Structure formats: C-alpha cells, structure tokens
C-alpha cells in the first residue's frame, strides 16, 4: 500500500454543499470584531453561527457590523438565540432568512435563559415546521439518540448535540 492510498478527500455534505471543516464557529464572546475575524480565518471553519440580533439589517453608511468581519468564503448559519418556544424560533428563522438570504438555521430554543439548555419538545416542533418551509435545520439538542432520530425523521439536516450541561 502506498501512503497516498490512505489519503482521501475528507468532507461532509449538507444540502449538496461539500464542506471540508467540521468546525462550526460561533461569533459571540470575542473581545473585538478583528479578533473574531482572525479566529475564523485561522480556524479554517467554513460555517459560522451568528445571532440575528447582532446584525445591523438597515446599516448606516459609516458603521460596520459583524458581517463586515466574516470572510466571504464562510457560510453564515443564523441562529434562533433567545427563542423560548417553537413559535418564536420559527419567527426568528424566517426573519433571518429574509435579512441574510439563507435558509440555513441553527435552531436554539432555551426556555430558561439562565442555563441555556435546549427544549427537546419545542425543538422537535420547530424542526418539523421549518423543514416543511424548506429550511436546512441544524437543531441544538441534548445528546439523546432517540431525539436525534426523531429530528432526522422530522427533516433535520444535521443535529448539534451539546457535550455537557
């Protein structure tokens, strides 16, 4: 066997989009937009999550916002951060789709903002509705194989289980 026989093009695919990096980077908690930009470029991430509330949709001429610091070759994954139930999450996803021109969405439903633990029942409801509307849904959930299977059956493209509470 030659060493090159072991090398394969390693990628994963979402909605017919091939991606090399499995790292999905968040855009919050950076000390500055420049540090965030450098982190994105250094990480090799091809997808970054962004909360719609951090995007200036009706941008003033002289101001910059978070989108100005995300490299053009990086796909945006808006999230439904702040949603407490399926109805709020679906509304946030629809707003993000219109504002950012993407139907990819990281579905986050946290009824308790103190702990930020995902609500499995509301997440399943929202996934069913968003998938029917044509969204590419990335639900953030507990590491529960039964729930993950139900989300897949509901039309989820991937699942994003949390590692630990």
């Amino acid at each position: 066997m030659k060493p090159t026989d072991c090398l394969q093009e390693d990628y994963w695919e979402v909605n017919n989009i091939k991606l090399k990096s499995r790292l999905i980077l968040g855009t919050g908690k950076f000390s500055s937009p420049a540090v965030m930009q450098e982190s994105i470029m250094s990480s090799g991430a091809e997808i970054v999550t962004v909360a719609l509330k951090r995007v200036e949709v009706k941008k003033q001429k002289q101001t910059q916002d978070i989108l100005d610091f995300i490299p053009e070759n990086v796909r945006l994954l808006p999230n439904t951060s702040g949603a407490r139930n399926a109805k709020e999450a679906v509304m946030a996803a629809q707003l993000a789709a219109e504002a950012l021109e993407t139907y990819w969405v990281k579905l986050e439903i946290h009824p308790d903002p103190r702990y930020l633990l995902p609500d499995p029942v509301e997440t399943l409801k929202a996934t069913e509705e968003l998938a029917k509307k044509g969204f590419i849904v990335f639900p953030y959930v507990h590491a529960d194989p039964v729930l993950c299977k139900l989300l897949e059956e509901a039309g989820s493209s991937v699942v994003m289980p949390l590692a630990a509470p």
Side-chain angles (χ1 to χ4, degrees):
M1 180 193 305
K2 296 182 281 184
T4 54
D5 291 342
C6 296
L7 299 176
Q8 288 183 296
E9 187 70 28
D10 186 25
Y11 66 88
W12 62 299
E13 194 170 319
V14 178
N15 198 41
N16 297 318
I17 304 289
K18 289 184 179 181
L19 302 158
K20 286 187 177 188
S21 176
R22 286 173 168 76
L23 176 65
I24 299 174
L25 195 62
T27 54
K29 309 288 188 227
F30 286 98
S31 60
S32 72
V35 170
M36 178 198 70
Q37 184 180 52
E38 180 60 33
S39 296
I40 292 169
M41 292 187 315
S42 297
S43 73
E46 295 172 280
I47 301 174
V48 295
T49 64
V50 62
L52 187 59
K53 62 187 171 190
R54 296 188 64 212
V55 175
E56 199 172 321
V57 178
K58 291 187 177 184
K59 195 165 146 176
Q60 303 300 319
K61 292 178 184 178
Q62 304 276 327
T63 62
Q64 289 186 311
D65 78 335
I66 192 169
L67 298 181
D68 295 320
F69 295 91
I70 297 174
E72 286 185 26
N73 63 329
V74 175
R75 181 174 287 278
L76 292 178
L77 181 62
N79 66 45
T80 61
S81 177
R84 294 170 297 180
N85 57 48
K87 183 179 178 181
E88 289 178 9
V90 169
M91 173 75 74
Q94 291 173 318
L95 290 170
E98 186 162 327
L100 301 175
E101 299 177 350
T102 181
Y103 278 85
W104 287 34
V105 63
K106 179 183 177 195
L107 182 58
E108 294 183 45
I109 301 177
H110 308 291
D112 185 344
R114 181 174 180 195
Y115 296 107
L116 298 178
L117 294 173
D119 181 320
V121 174
E122 292 296 308
T123 298
L124 183 57
K125 277 195 244 178
T127 297
E128 290 169 340
E129 189 170 341
L130 289 169
K132 285 178 189 171
K133 294 178 183 286
F135 280 84
I136 308 305
V137 185
F138 291 62
Y140 173 68
V141 296
H142 294 277
D144 176 350
V146 173
L147 174 61
C148 291
K149 186 65 179 164
L150 290 171
L151 288 164
E152 178 186 27
E153 291 168 2
S156 171
S157 299
V158 299
V159 291
M160 301 177 75
L162 79 128

